[in-house]
Amino acid sequence: GDSVTQMEGPVTLSEEAFLTINCTYTATGYPSLFWYVQYPGEGLQLLLKATKADDKGSNKGFEATYRKETTSFHLEKGSVQVSDSAVYFCALSAATGGYNKLIFGAGTRLAVHP
Amino acid sequence: DTGVSQDPRHKITKRGQNVTFRCDPISEHNRLYWYRQTLGQGPEFLTYFQNEAQLEKSRLLSDRFSAERPKGSFSTLEIQRTEQGDSAMYLCASSPEAGSYGYTFGSGTRLTVV
Protein backbone atom coordinates (compact mmCIF):
# COMPACT_ATOMS: atom_id res chain seq x y z
CA GLY A 1 0.00 0.00 0.00
CA ASP A 2 0.90 3.66 -0.10
CA SER A 3 3.42 4.80 2.47
CA VAL A 4 5.79 7.59 3.49
CA THR A 5 9.18 7.15 5.13
CA GLN A 6 10.97 10.00 6.85
CA MET A 7 14.39 10.20 8.42
CA GLU A 8 14.30 9.61 12.12
CA GLY A 9 14.85 12.46 14.50
CA PRO A 10 15.56 14.34 16.46
CA VAL A 11 17.58 16.58 14.22
CA THR A 12 19.57 19.08 16.26
CA LEU A 13 21.11 22.09 14.55
CA SER A 14 22.64 25.40 15.42
CA GLU A 15 20.97 28.57 14.21
CA GLU A 16 21.81 29.43 10.59
CA ALA A 17 22.75 25.84 9.75
CA PHE A 18 21.51 24.10 6.61
CA LEU A 19 18.58 21.72 7.03
CA THR A 20 17.66 18.61 5.10
CA ILE A 21 14.92 16.23 6.18
CA ASN A 22 14.63 13.23 3.90
CA CYS A 23 11.30 11.86 2.75
CA THR A 24 10.61 9.01 0.35
CA TYR A 25 7.29 7.58 -0.66
CA THR A 26 5.62 4.56 -2.19
CA ALA A 27 2.42 5.11 -4.13
CA THR A 28 0.69 3.99 -7.26
CA GLY A 29 -0.19 6.65 -9.76
CA TYR A 30 0.83 10.24 -9.25
CA PRO A 31 0.33 11.45 -5.70
CA SER A 32 0.40 15.00 -4.45
CA LEU A 33 3.08 15.57 -1.83
CA PHE A 34 3.04 17.78 1.24
CA TRP A 35 5.09 18.93 4.17
CA TYR A 36 3.23 19.80 7.35
CA VAL A 37 4.70 21.38 10.47
CA GLN A 38 3.49 20.99 14.04
CA TYR A 39 4.68 23.51 16.59
CA PRO A 40 4.46 22.58 20.28
CA GLY A 41 0.86 22.55 21.49
CA GLU A 42 -0.57 23.36 18.07
CA GLY A 43 -2.23 21.55 15.19
CA LEU A 44 -0.62 20.67 11.88
CA GLN A 45 -0.03 23.50 9.44
CA LEU A 46 0.55 23.04 5.74
CA LEU A 47 4.09 24.20 5.01
CA LEU A 48 4.34 23.49 1.29
CA LYS A 49 3.06 21.19 -1.43
CA ALA A 50 3.78 19.86 -4.90
CA THR A 51 1.24 18.23 -7.15
CA LYS A 52 3.32 16.82 -10.00
CA ALA A 53 6.81 15.65 -10.84
CA ASP A 54 9.55 18.29 -10.83
CA ASP A 55 7.31 20.80 -9.05
CA LYS A 56 9.06 22.73 -6.29
CA GLY A 57 7.05 23.76 -3.29
CA SER A 58 8.36 26.64 -1.20
CA ASN A 59 7.30 28.67 1.81
CA LYS A 60 9.02 30.59 4.61
CA GLY A 61 12.45 29.72 3.23
CA PHE A 62 11.69 25.99 3.08
CA GLU A 63 11.77 24.14 -0.25
CA ALA A 64 11.05 20.64 -1.49
CA THR A 65 11.15 19.24 -5.02
CA TYR A 66 8.93 16.38 -6.21
CA ARG A 67 11.36 13.79 -7.61
CA LYS A 68 9.46 11.01 -9.33
CA GLU A 69 12.59 9.14 -10.41
CA THR A 70 13.77 8.77 -6.81
CA THR A 71 10.27 8.88 -5.23
CA SER A 72 11.49 11.58 -2.89
CA PHE A 73 10.36 14.94 -1.51
CA HIS A 74 13.19 16.12 0.75
CA LEU A 75 12.67 19.27 2.80
CA GLU A 76 15.47 21.86 2.81
CA LYS A 77 16.16 25.24 4.31
CA GLY A 78 19.34 27.20 3.87
CA SER A 79 19.48 28.84 7.28
CA VAL A 80 17.34 27.62 10.16
CA GLN A 81 16.13 29.74 13.05
CA VAL A 82 15.26 28.84 16.61
CA SER A 83 11.62 29.47 15.69
CA ASP A 84 11.77 26.59 13.19
CA SER A 85 11.94 24.11 16.06
CA ALA A 86 8.95 21.83 15.52
CA VAL A 87 7.94 18.42 14.21
CA TYR A 88 7.84 18.10 10.42
CA PHE A 89 5.62 15.58 8.66
CA CYS A 90 5.86 14.47 5.06
CA ALA A 91 2.56 13.29 3.55
CA LEU A 92 1.00 12.16 0.31
CA SER A 93 -2.46 12.19 -1.14
CA ALA A 94 -2.82 9.24 -3.44
CA ALA A 95 -4.97 8.28 -6.35
CA THR A 96 -5.60 4.89 -4.77
CA GLY A 97 -7.41 6.69 -2.00
CA GLY A 98 -9.29 8.87 -4.46
CA TYR A 99 -7.16 11.72 -3.16
CA ASN A 100 -9.44 11.64 -0.17
CA LYS A 101 -6.95 11.05 2.59
CA LEU A 102 -3.43 11.93 3.55
CA ILE A 103 -0.86 9.32 4.44
CA PHE A 104 1.75 10.68 6.81
CA GLY A 105 5.26 9.75 7.74
CA ALA A 106 6.14 9.34 11.41
CA GLY A 107 7.46 12.88 11.68
CA THR A 108 10.91 14.34 12.28
CA ARG A 109 11.55 16.54 15.29
CA LEU A 110 13.83 19.51 14.65
CA ALA A 111 15.52 21.35 17.49
CA VAL A 112 17.44 24.53 16.64
CA HIS A 113 19.76 26.01 19.25
CA PRO A 114 21.03 29.59 19.36
CA ASP B 1 -13.16 32.71 9.42
CA THR B 2 -11.16 31.41 12.36
CA GLY B 3 -10.15 28.10 10.80
CA VAL B 4 -11.03 24.63 12.03
CA SER B 5 -12.20 24.55 15.65
CA GLN B 6 -12.19 21.51 17.90
CA ASP B 7 -13.74 21.11 21.29
CA PRO B 8 -12.67 20.21 23.90
CA ARG B 9 -8.91 20.69 23.71
CA HIS B 10 -8.31 18.10 26.40
CA LYS B 11 -10.44 15.29 27.79
CA ILE B 12 -9.60 12.92 30.62
CA THR B 13 -12.00 10.05 31.08
CA LYS B 14 -12.20 6.80 32.95
CA ARG B 15 -12.01 3.54 31.06
CA GLY B 16 -15.44 2.41 29.98
CA GLN B 17 -16.95 5.87 29.71
CA ASN B 18 -18.25 7.42 26.50
CA VAL B 19 -16.78 10.60 25.07
CA THR B 20 -17.81 12.91 22.25
CA PHE B 21 -15.69 15.44 20.40
CA ARG B 22 -16.85 18.25 18.16
CA CYS B 23 -15.29 19.75 15.05
CA ASP B 24 -16.35 22.94 13.27
CA PRO B 25 -14.72 23.11 9.83
CA ILE B 26 -14.05 26.15 7.70
CA SER B 27 -17.50 27.16 6.55
CA GLU B 28 -17.01 26.88 2.81
CA HIS B 29 -15.25 23.50 3.00
CA ASN B 30 -17.49 20.59 2.09
CA ARG B 31 -15.00 17.88 3.06
CA LEU B 32 -14.27 17.03 6.66
CA TYR B 33 -11.76 14.48 7.97
CA TRP B 34 -10.92 12.83 11.27
CA TYR B 35 -7.42 11.58 12.06
CA ARG B 36 -5.83 10.05 15.14
CA GLN B 37 -2.27 10.78 16.22
CA THR B 38 -0.47 8.79 18.88
CA LEU B 39 2.73 9.90 20.53
CA GLY B 40 5.69 9.89 18.21
CA GLN B 41 3.65 8.94 15.16
CA GLY B 42 2.11 10.72 12.23
CA PRO B 43 -1.64 11.18 12.00
CA GLU B 44 -3.64 8.18 10.79
CA PHE B 45 -6.80 8.53 8.74
CA LEU B 46 -10.05 7.54 10.46
CA THR B 47 -12.90 8.76 8.28
CA TYR B 48 -14.11 11.52 6.01
CA PHE B 49 -17.32 13.25 4.99
CA GLN B 50 -18.38 15.04 1.89
CA ASN B 51 -21.15 17.30 3.08
CA GLU B 52 -23.27 15.07 5.34
CA ALA B 53 -22.29 11.78 3.69
CA GLN B 54 -19.66 9.61 5.37
CA LEU B 55 -17.80 8.22 2.37
CA GLU B 56 -14.93 6.24 3.83
CA LYS B 57 -14.03 4.66 7.14
CA SER B 58 -10.66 3.23 8.11
CA ARG B 59 -10.30 -0.19 9.64
CA LEU B 60 -8.95 1.72 12.64
CA LEU B 61 -12.49 2.89 13.30
CA SER B 62 -13.84 0.04 15.38
CA ASP B 63 -17.51 -0.45 16.19
CA ARG B 64 -17.02 1.65 19.32
CA PHE B 65 -16.35 4.70 17.18
CA SER B 66 -19.03 6.65 15.36
CA ALA B 67 -18.84 9.90 13.48
CA GLU B 68 -21.61 12.12 12.21
CA ARG B 69 -21.99 15.30 10.25
CA PRO B 70 -25.74 15.76 10.36
CA LYS B 71 -26.18 18.96 8.39
CA GLY B 72 -22.97 19.01 6.46
CA SER B 73 -21.45 21.57 8.81
CA PHE B 74 -19.99 20.55 12.18
CA SER B 75 -19.09 16.95 12.95
CA THR B 76 -18.96 14.83 16.08
CA LEU B 77 -16.79 11.82 16.87
CA GLU B 78 -18.05 9.56 19.65
CA ILE B 79 -16.08 6.80 21.32
CA GLN B 80 -18.10 4.36 23.40
CA ARG B 81 -16.68 2.24 26.22
CA THR B 82 -13.29 3.91 26.01
CA GLU B 83 -10.13 1.85 26.42
CA GLN B 84 -6.65 2.96 27.39
CA GLY B 85 -5.53 2.33 23.82
CA ASP B 86 -7.87 5.08 22.69
CA SER B 87 -5.62 7.67 24.34
CA ALA B 88 -4.41 9.88 21.49
CA MET B 89 -4.78 13.24 19.82
CA TYR B 90 -7.87 13.34 17.63
CA LEU B 91 -7.47 15.75 14.75
CA CYS B 92 -10.12 17.20 12.51
CA ALA B 93 -9.39 18.77 9.14
CA SER B 94 -11.38 20.26 6.31
CA SER B 95 -10.76 20.99 2.65
CA PRO B 96 -12.68 22.49 -0.22
CA GLU B 97 -12.09 19.47 -2.44
CA ALA B 98 -10.08 16.28 -2.69
CA GLY B 99 -6.42 16.02 -1.80
CA SER B 100 -4.30 18.17 -4.02
CA TYR B 101 -4.78 21.42 -2.12
CA GLY B 102 -4.03 20.01 1.30
CA TYR B 103 -6.09 20.29 4.40
CA THR B 104 -6.56 22.81 7.18
CA PHE B 105 -6.23 21.06 10.52
CA GLY B 106 -7.70 21.99 13.86
CA SER B 107 -5.60 22.01 17.03
CA GLY B 108 -6.95 18.64 18.05
CA THR B 109 -8.55 17.07 21.09
CA ARG B 110 -6.18 15.20 23.36
CA LEU B 111 -7.90 12.23 24.96
CA THR B 112 -6.45 10.51 28.00
CA VAL B 113 -8.17 7.35 29.21
CA VAL B 114 -7.26 6.43 32.78
Coordinates of all heavy atoms in Angstrom, one line a residue, chain A residues 19-77:
Chain A
L19 N 19.5 22.8 6.6 CA 18.6 21.7 7.0 C 18.2 20.9 5.8 O 17.8 21.4 4.8 CB 17.3 22.3 7.7 CG 16.2 21.3 7.9 CD1 16.5 20.3 9.0 CD2 14.9 22.0 8.2
T20 N 18.3 19.6 6.0 CA 17.7 18.6 5.1 C 16.9 17.6 5.9 O 17.5 17.0 6.8 CB 18.7 17.9 4.2 OG1 19.4 18.8 3.4 CG2 18.0 16.9 3.3
I21 N 15.7 17.3 5.6 CA 14.9 16.2 6.2 C 14.5 15.4 5.0 O 13.7 15.8 4.1 CB 13.7 16.7 7.0 CG1 14.1 17.6 8.1 CG2 12.9 15.5 7.5 CD1 13.0 18.1 9.0
N22 N 14.9 14.1 5.0 CA 14.6 13.2 3.9 C 13.2 12.6 4.0 O 12.8 12.3 5.1 CB 15.7 12.1 3.9 CG 17.0 12.6 3.4 OD1 17.2 13.7 2.8 ND2 18.1 11.9 3.8
C23 N 12.6 12.5 2.8 CA 11.3 11.9 2.8 C 11.2 11.1 1.5 O 11.5 11.6 0.4 CB 10.2 12.9 2.8 SG 8.5 12.3 2.4
T24 N 10.9 9.8 1.5 CA 10.6 9.0 0.4 C 9.2 8.4 0.5 O 8.7 8.3 1.6 CB 11.6 7.9 0.2 OG1 11.6 7.1 1.4 CG2 13.0 8.4 0.0
Y25 N 8.7 8.1 -0.7 CA 7.3 7.6 -0.7 C 7.1 6.4 -1.6 O 7.9 6.1 -2.5 CB 6.3 8.7 -1.1 CG 6.5 9.1 -2.5 CD1 5.8 8.5 -3.5 CD2 7.3 10.1 -2.9 CE1 5.9 8.8 -4.9 CE2 7.5 10.5 -4.2 CZ 6.8 9.9 -5.2 OH 6.9 10.2 -6.5
T26 N 6.1 5.6 -1.3 CA 5.6 4.6 -2.2 C 4.2 4.8 -2.5 O 3.3 5.0 -1.6 CB 5.8 3.2 -1.5 OG1 7.1 3.0 -1.2 CG2 5.3 2.1 -2.4
A27 N 3.8 4.9 -3.8 CA 2.4 5.1 -4.1 C 2.2 4.7 -5.6 O 3.1 4.8 -6.4 CB 2.0 6.6 -4.0
T28 N 1.0 4.2 -5.9 CA 0.7 4.0 -7.3 C 0.1 5.3 -7.8 O -0.4 6.1 -7.1 CB -0.4 2.9 -7.4 OG1 -1.5 3.2 -6.6 CG2 0.2 1.6 -6.9
G29 N 0.3 5.4 -9.1 CA -0.2 6.6 -9.8 C 0.7 7.8 -9.5 O 1.9 7.7 -9.2
Y30 N 0.1 9.0 -9.4 CA 0.8 10.2 -9.2 C 0.3 11.0 -8.1 O -0.6 11.8 -8.2 CB 0.7 11.1 -10.5 CG 1.2 10.3 -11.7 CD1 0.4 9.6 -12.5 CD2 2.6 10.2 -12.0 CE1 0.8 8.8 -13.6 CE2 3.1 9.5 -13.1 CZ 2.2 8.8 -13.9 OH 2.6 8.1 -14.9
P31 N 0.9 10.8 -6.9 CA 0.3 11.4 -5.7 C 0.7 12.9 -5.7 O 1.6 13.4 -6.3 CB 1.0 10.7 -4.6 CG 2.3 10.2 -5.1 CD 2.0 9.9 -6.6
S32 N 0.0 13.7 -4.9 CA 0.4 15.0 -4.5 C 1.2 14.8 -3.2 O 0.9 13.9 -2.4 CB -0.8 15.9 -4.2 OG -1.5 16.1 -5.4
L33 N 2.2 15.7 -3.0 CA 3.1 15.6 -1.8 C 3.1 16.8 -1.0 O 2.9 17.9 -1.5 CB 4.5 15.3 -2.3 CG 4.7 14.0 -3.2 CD1 6.1 13.9 -3.7 CD2 4.3 12.8 -2.3
F34 N 3.2 16.7 0.3 CA 3.0 17.8 1.2 C 4.1 17.7 2.3 O 4.5 16.6 2.7 CB 1.7 17.7 1.9 CG 0.5 17.7 1.0 CD1 0.0 16.4 0.5 CD2 -0.1 18.8 0.5 CE1 -1.0 16.4 -0.4 CE2 -1.2 18.8 -0.3 CZ -1.7 17.6 -0.8
W35 N 4.4 18.8 2.9 CA 5.1 18.9 4.2 C 4.2 19.7 5.1 O 3.7 20.8 4.8 CB 6.5 19.6 4.1 CG 7.5 18.7 3.6 CD1 8.0 18.5 2.4 CD2 8.2 17.7 4.4 NE1 9.0 17.6 2.4 CE2 9.2 17.1 3.6 CE3 8.2 17.4 5.8 CZ2 10.0 16.1 4.1 CZ3 9.0 16.4 6.3 CH2 10.0 15.8 5.4
Y36 N 3.9 19.1 6.3 CA 3.2 19.8 7.3 C 4.2 20.0 8.5 O 5.1 19.3 8.7 CB 2.0 19.0 7.8 CG 0.8 19.0 6.9 CD1 0.7 18.3 5.8 CD2 -0.2 19.9 7.2 CE1 -0.4 18.3 5.0 CE2 -1.3 20.0 6.4 CZ -1.4 19.2 5.3 OH -2.5 19.3 4.5
V37 N 3.9 21.1 9.3 CA 4.7 21.4 10.5 C 3.8 21.5 11.7 O 2.7 22.0 11.6 CB 5.5 22.7 10.3 CG1 4.6 23.9 10.0 CG2 6.4 22.9 11.5
Q38 N 4.3 21.0 12.8 CA 3.5 21.0 14.0 C 4.3 21.6 15.1 O 5.3 21.0 15.6 CB 3.1 19.6 14.4 CG 2.1 19.5 15.6 CD 1.6 18.1 15.8 OE1 2.3 17.1 15.6 NE2 0.3 18.0 16.2
Y39 N 4.0 22.8 15.5 CA 4.7 23.5 16.6 C 4.1 23.0 17.9 O 3.0 22.5 18.0 CB 4.5 25.0 16.5 CG 5.1 25.6 15.2 CD1 4.3 25.9 14.1 CD2 6.5 25.8 15.1 CE1 4.8 26.4 13.0 CE2 7.0 26.2 13.9 CZ 6.2 26.6 12.9 OH 6.8 27.0 11.7
P40 N 4.9 23.1 19.0 CA 4.5 22.6 20.3 C 3.1 23.1 20.7 O 2.8 24.3 20.7 CB 5.5 23.1 21.2 CG 6.8 23.2 20.4 CD 6.2 23.7 19.0
G41 N 2.2 22.2 21.0 CA 0.9 22.6 21.5 C -0.1 23.0 20.4 O -1.2 23.5 20.7
E42 N 0.3 22.9 19.2 CA -0.6 23.4 18.1 C -0.9 22.2 17.1 O -0.3 21.1 17.2 CB 0.1 24.5 17.3 CG 0.4 25.7 18.2 CD 1.0 26.9 17.4 OE1 0.9 26.8 16.1 OE2 1.5 27.8 18.0
G43 N -1.9 22.5 16.2 CA -2.2 21.5 15.2 C -1.3 21.6 14.0 O -0.3 22.4 14.0
L44 N -1.5 20.7 13.1 CA -0.6 20.7 11.9 C -0.9 21.8 10.9 O -2.1 22.2 10.7 CB -0.8 19.4 11.1 CG -0.2 18.1 11.7 CD1 -1.0 17.5 12.8 CD2 0.1 17.1 10.6
Q45 N 0.1 22.4 10.4 CA 0.0 23.5 9.4 C 0.6 23.1 8.1 O 1.7 22.5 8.2 CB 0.6 24.8 9.9 CG 0.1 25.3 11.3 CD 0.9 26.5 11.7 OE1 1.5 27.2 11.0 NE2 0.9 26.7 13.0
L46 N 0.0 23.3 7.0 CA 0.5 23.0 5.7 C 1.7 24.0 5.5 O 1.6 25.2 5.6 CB -0.5 23.2 4.6 CG 0.0 23.0 3.2 CD1 0.4 21.6 3.0 CD2 -1.1 23.3 2.2
L47 N 2.9 23.4 5.2 CA 4.1 24.2 5.0 C 4.3 24.4 3.5 O 4.5 25.6 3.1 CB 5.3 23.5 5.6 CG 6.7 24.2 5.5 CD1 6.6 25.6 6.1 CD2 7.8 23.3 6.1
L48 N 4.2 23.4 2.7 CA 4.3 23.5 1.3 C 3.8 22.2 0.6 O 3.6 21.2 1.3 CB 5.8 23.8 0.9 CG 6.9 22.8 1.4 CD1 7.0 21.6 0.5 CD2 8.2 23.5 1.4
K49 N 3.6 22.3 -0.7 CA 3.1 21.2 -1.4 C 3.6 21.2 -2.9 O 4.1 22.2 -3.4 CB 1.5 21.2 -1.4 CG 0.9 22.4 -2.2 CD -0.6 22.4 -2.2 CE -1.2 23.6 -2.8 NZ -1.0 23.7 -4.2
A50 N 3.5 20.0 -3.5 CA 3.8 19.9 -4.9 C 2.8 18.8 -5.5 O 2.6 17.8 -4.9 CB 5.2 19.4 -5.1
T51 N 2.3 19.1 -6.6 CA 1.2 18.2 -7.1 C 1.7 17.4 -8.3 O 1.0 16.5 -8.7 CB 0.0 19.0 -7.5 OG1 0.4 20.0 -8.5 CG2 -0.6 19.7 -6.3
K52 N 2.8 17.7 -8.9 CA 3.3 16.8 -10.0 C 4.8 16.8 -10.0 O 5.5 17.6 -9.4 CB 2.8 17.3 -11.3 CG 3.2 18.7 -11.7 CD 2.5 19.1 -13.0 CE 3.0 20.4 -13.6 NZ 2.6 21.5 -12.7
A53 N 5.4 15.9 -10.8 CA 6.8 15.6 -10.8 C 7.5 16.9 -11.3 O 7.1 17.7 -12.1 CB 7.1 14.5 -11.8
D54 N 8.7 17.2 -10.6 CA 9.5 18.3 -10.8 C 9.0 19.6 -10.3 O 9.7 20.6 -10.3 CB 9.9 18.5 -12.3 CG 10.6 17.2 -12.9 OD1 11.4 16.6 -12.1 OD2 10.4 16.9 -14.0
D55 N 7.8 19.6 -9.7 CA 7.3 20.8 -9.1 C 8.2 21.1 -7.8 O 8.6 20.1 -7.1 CB 5.9 20.6 -8.6 CG 4.9 21.1 -9.6 OD1 5.3 21.5 -10.7 OD2 3.6 21.0 -9.3
K56 N 8.4 22.3 -7.5 CA 9.1 22.7 -6.3 C 8.1 23.5 -5.4 O 7.5 24.5 -5.9 CB 10.3 23.6 -6.6 CG 11.0 24.1 -5.3 CD 12.1 25.0 -5.6 CE 13.3 24.3 -6.1 NZ 14.5 25.2 -6.2
G57 N 7.8 23.0 -4.2 CA 7.0 23.8 -3.3 C 8.0 24.6 -2.4 O 9.1 24.2 -2.1
S58 N 7.5 25.8 -2.0 CA 8.4 26.6 -1.2 C 7.5 27.5 -0.3 O 6.4 27.9 -0.7 CB 9.3 27.5 -2.0 OG 8.6 28.3 -2.9
N59 N 8.0 27.8 0.9 CA 7.3 28.7 1.8 C 8.2 29.0 3.0 O 8.9 28.0 3.5 CB 6.0 28.0 2.3 CG 5.2 28.9 3.2 OD1 5.2 30.1 3.0 ND2 4.4 28.3 4.0
K60 N 8.3 30.2 3.4 CA 9.0 30.6 4.6 C 10.5 30.2 4.5 O 11.1 29.8 5.6 CB 8.4 30.0 5.9 CG 6.9 30.4 6.1 CD 6.4 29.8 7.4 CE 4.9 30.3 7.6 NZ 4.4 29.7 8.8
G61 N 11.1 30.1 3.4 CA 12.5 29.7 3.2 C 12.7 28.2 3.1 O 13.8 27.8 2.8
F62 N 11.6 27.4 3.3 CA 11.7 26.0 3.1 C 11.4 25.6 1.6 O 10.6 26.3 1.0 CB 10.7 25.3 4.0 CG 11.0 25.3 5.4 CD1 10.5 26.4 6.2 CD2 11.7 24.3 6.0 CE1 10.8 26.4 7.6 CE2 12.0 24.4 7.4 CZ 11.6 25.4 8.2
E63 N 12.0 24.6 1.1 CA 11.8 24.1 -0.2 C 11.8 22.6 -0.3 O 12.4 22.0 0.5 CB 12.9 24.6 -1.2 CG 13.0 26.1 -1.4 CD 14.0 26.4 -2.4 OE1 14.9 25.6 -2.6 OE2 14.0 27.5 -3.0
A64 N 11.0 22.1 -1.2 CA 11.0 20.6 -1.5 C 10.7 20.4 -2.9 O 9.8 21.1 -3.5 CB 10.1 19.9 -0.6
T65 N 11.4 19.5 -3.6 CA 11.1 19.2 -5.0 C 10.6 17.8 -5.2 O 11.2 16.9 -4.6 CB 12.4 19.4 -5.9 OG1 12.9 20.8 -5.7 CG2 12.2 19.2 -7.3
Y66 N 9.6 17.7 -5.9 CA 8.9 16.4 -6.2 C 9.8 15.6 -7.2 O 9.9 16.0 -8.4 CB 7.5 16.7 -6.8 CG 6.6 15.5 -7.0 CD1 5.3 15.7 -6.7 CD2 7.0 14.3 -7.5 CE1 4.3 14.7 -6.9 CE2 6.1 13.3 -7.7 CZ 4.7 13.5 -7.4 OH 3.8 12.5 -7.6
R67 N 10.5 14.6 -6.8 CA 11.4 13.8 -7.6 C 10.7 12.4 -7.9 O 10.8 11.6 -7.0 CB 12.7 13.6 -6.9 CG 13.4 14.9 -6.6 CD 14.0 15.6 -7.9 NE 14.8 16.7 -7.5 CZ 15.2 17.7 -8.4 NH1 14.7 17.6 -9.6 NH2 16.0 18.7 -8.0
K68 N 10.1 12.3 -9.0 CA 9.5 11.0 -9.3 C 10.5 9.9 -9.5 O 10.2 8.7 -9.1 CB 8.6 11.2 -10.6 CG 7.7 10.0 -10.9 CD 6.8 10.3 -12.1 CE 5.9 9.2 -12.4 NZ 6.7 8.1 -13.1
E69 N 11.6 10.2 -10.1 CA 12.6 9.1 -10.4 C 13.2 8.5 -9.1 O 13.5 7.3 -9.2 CB 13.7 9.7 -11.3 CG 14.6 10.8 -10.7 CD 14.0 12.2 -10.8 OE1 12.8 12.3 -11.2 OE2 14.7 13.1 -10.6
T70 N 13.3 9.3 -8.1 CA 13.8 8.8 -6.8 C 12.7 8.6 -5.8 O 13.0 8.3 -4.6 CB 14.9 9.7 -6.2 OG1 14.4 11.0 -6.1 CG2 16.1 9.7 -7.2
T71 N 11.4 8.9 -6.1 CA 10.3 8.9 -5.2 C 10.6 9.6 -3.9 O 10.4 9.1 -2.8 CB 9.7 7.5 -5.0 OG1 10.7 6.7 -4.3 CG2 9.3 6.8 -6.3
S72 N 11.1 10.8 -4.1 CA 11.5 11.6 -2.9 C 10.9 13.0 -2.9 O 10.5 13.5 -3.9 CB 13.0 11.7 -2.8 OG 13.5 12.4 -3.9
F73 N 10.9 13.6 -1.7 CA 10.4 14.9 -1.5 C 11.1 15.5 -0.3 O 10.5 15.8 0.7 CB 8.8 14.9 -1.3 CG 8.1 16.2 -1.4 CD1 8.3 17.0 -2.5 CD2 7.3 16.6 -0.4 CE1 7.6 18.2 -2.7 CE2 6.6 17.9 -0.5 CZ 6.8 18.6 -1.6
H74 N 12.4 15.7 -0.4 CA 13.2 16.1 0.8 C 13.0 17.6 1.1 O 12.9 18.4 0.2 CB 14.7 15.9 0.5 CG 15.0 14.5 0.1 ND1 14.4 13.4 0.7 CD2 15.9 14.0 -0.9 CE1 14.9 12.3 0.2 NE2 15.8 12.6 -0.8
L75 N 12.9 17.9 2.3 CA 12.7 19.3 2.8 C 14.0 19.9 3.1 O 14.9 19.3 3.7 CB 11.8 19.3 4.1 CG 11.5 20.6 4.6 CD1 10.5 21.4 3.7 CD2 10.8 20.5 6.0
E76 N 14.2 21.2 2.6 CA 15.5 21.9 2.8 C 15.2 23.3 3.2 O 14.2 23.9 2.8 CB 16.3 21.8 1.5 CG 16.7 20.5 1.1 CD 17.6 20.5 -0.2 OE1 17.5 21.5 -0.9 OE2 18.4 19.6 -0.4
K77 N 16.2 23.8 4.0 CA 16.2 25.2 4.3 C 17.6 25.7 4.5 O 18.4 25.0 5.2 CB 15.4 25.5 5.6 CG 15.3 27.1 5.8 CD 14.4 27.4 7.0 CE 14.2 28.9 7.1 NZ 13.4 29.3 8.3

